[in-house]
């Protein structure tokens, strides 16, 4: 069986502004996740960063990627529109996209999910987050031993209004401070799937948690491309059957 080709992208961590994050992830979050998920024999993982040529997302890299994992928090508006469009088009044609943490603010997410005001409630005080399963049939739960995951130290993202209505909702988080969040959910876009995994603030050891690593691996497996038939996306097409009484269109434009 061929491996799932995964590219884990990060905007990078500023060592001056984020010393706690550097202490947790000295080689960046993408490198940490690549190592943590590298134990899965079905995943072939590489990393890419905002600071790489073409933001690490050349057309060749995108063409060689089944699932793109996107971690960003503050800086991914620096990604040129052309490259964000490249990601969007790849998803519409079948590539999986996993948005981590504030990645749903990022350019590819906004282009694909299309909501105008991405900033919702947040609080960075390291409170407990308990993620409750709300769809027990979902394949991303494979191997989970409990009906919830606890993140002892998390950043709160709160409802309402953080995310557009999802097509699939698998976890709802409750935060120690009282808010809730649709924290693991997904959308179908063209031939591709987009999934959101909310916990992952860079100053807390969220990605150290084994259940989070398992969940991320399962999400990657779920959003990998499937062999769907090619589709002509737009434009005038000939009819498949012979029309009995076709009416000639008016001349326009
Ligand atoms: Zn954060």
């Amino acid at each position: 069986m061929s491996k799932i080709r995964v590219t884990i992208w990060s905007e990078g961590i500023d060592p001056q502004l984020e010393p706690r994050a550097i202490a947790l992830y000295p080689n960046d979050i993408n490198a940490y996740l690549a190592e943590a998920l590298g134990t899965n024999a079905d995943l072939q993982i590489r990393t890419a960063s905002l600071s790489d040529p073409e933001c690490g997302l050349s057309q060749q890299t995108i063409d060689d990627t089944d699932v793109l994992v996107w971690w960003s928090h503050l800086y991914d508006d620096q990604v040129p529109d052309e490259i964000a469009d490249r990601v969007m088009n790849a998803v519409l044609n079948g590539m999986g996209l996993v948005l981590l943490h504030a990645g749903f603010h990022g350019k590819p997410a906004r282009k694909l999910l299309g909501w105008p005001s991405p900033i919702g409630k947040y609080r960075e005080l390291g409170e407990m987050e308990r993620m409750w399963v709300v769809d027990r049939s979902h394949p991303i739960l494979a191997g989970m031993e409990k009906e919830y995951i606890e993140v002892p130290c998390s950043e709160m993202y709160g409802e309402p209004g953080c995310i557009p209505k999802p097509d699939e909702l698998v976890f709802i988080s409750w935060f120690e401070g009282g808010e809730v969040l649709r924290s693991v959910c997904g959308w179908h876009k063209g031939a591709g799937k987009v999934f959101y995994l909310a916990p992952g603030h860079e100053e807390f050891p969220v990605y150290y948690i084994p259940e989070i690593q398992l969940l991320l691996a399962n999400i990657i497996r779920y959003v990998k491309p499937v062999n769907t038939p090619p589709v002509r996306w737009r434009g005038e097409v000939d009819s498949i059957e012979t029309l009995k009484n076709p009416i000639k269109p008016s001349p326009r434009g």
Side-chain angles (χ1 to χ4, degrees):
M1 193 175 73
S2 60
K3 295 188 176 191
I4 304 171
R5 299 167 302 169
V6 183
T7 301
I8 304 180
W9 189 91
S10 169
E11 67 179 20
I13 297 171
D14 187 322
Q16 303 302 318
L17 296 176
E18 301 175 286
R20 279 188 299 192
I22 285 291
L24 288 169
Y25 305 110
N27 298 312
D28 203 351
I29 284 174
N30 53 359
Y32 180 85
L33 287 175
E35 187 175 345
L37 299 187
T39 54
N40 294 281
D42 58 334
L43 306 183
Q44 176 184 311
I45 302 173
R46 67 175 146 194
T47 60
S49 302
L50 179 64
S51 58
D52 293 338
E54 292 192 73
C55 305
L57 297 171
S58 68
Q59 188 64 57
Q60 186 66 52
T61 298
I62 292 290
D63 290 345
D64 292 340
T65 297
D66 295 317
V67 178
L68 177 62
V69 178
W70 188 277
W71 186 90
S72 64
H73 203 185
L74 296 172
Y75 307 120
D76 76 349
D77 271 351
Q78 297 173 22
V79 174
D81 279 338
E82 177 192 349
I83 292 174
D85 285 343
R86 193 178 287 165
V87 172
M88 176 185 72
N89 288 324
V91 171
L92 294 175
N93 286 295
M95 184 181 76
L97 176 63
V98 183
L99 302 169
L100 298 177
H101 193 48
F104 74 89
H105 294 323
K107 262 191 194 177
R110 293 204 304 269
K111 284 177 179 286
L112 281 158
L113 303 179
W115 68 103
S117 179
I119 302 298
K121 295 174 186 169
Y122 68 95
R123 186 168 57 239
E124 292 183 23
L125 297 180
E127 62 202 86
M128 201 271 274
E129 174 179 358
R130 183 176 291 128
M131 306 165 63
W132 285 97
V133 171
V134 294
D135 178 359
R136 292 181 58 222
S137 71
H138 206 284
I140 67 170
L141 300 176
M144 297 269 166
E145 294 181 355
K146 293 199 293 189
E147 60 188 326
Y148 61 82
I149 299 171
E150 283 188 353
V151 181
C153 196
S154 195
E155 178 182 12
M156 187 282 295
Y157 282 174
E159 302 283 357
C162 283
I163 56 171
K165 185 176 179 180
D167 297 321
E168 302 180 82
L169 177 60
V170 189
F171 281 84
I172 291 175
S173 284
W174 168 87
F175 292 90
E176 186 181 349
E179 290 85 356
V180 296
L181 177 71
R182 291 165 289 175
S183 52
V184 182
C185 51
W187 299 263
H188 297 251
K189 293 291 170 185
K193 300 191 214 53
V194 179
F195 238 82
Y196 177 44
L197 173 58
H201 186 62
E202 69 273 21
E203 297 204 330
F204 307 136
V206 175
Y207 296 124
Y208 284 45
I209 299 171
E211 291 98 327
I212 295 291
Q213 295 177 10
L214 173 61
L215 185 57
L216 178 54
N218 284 344
I219 291 172
I220 289 168
R221 293 175 181 122
Y222 180 65
V223 303
K224 74 176 182 182
V226 291
N227 287 325
T228 54
V231 173
R232 180 172 172 178
W233 288 98
R234 58 174 66 90
E236 188 174 17
V237 295
D238 294 330
S239 62
I240 295 171
E241 309 294 341
T242 301
L243 305 182
K244 289 195 178 80
N245 298 300
I247 299 171
K248 195 176 180 204
S250 305
R252 294 188 293 267

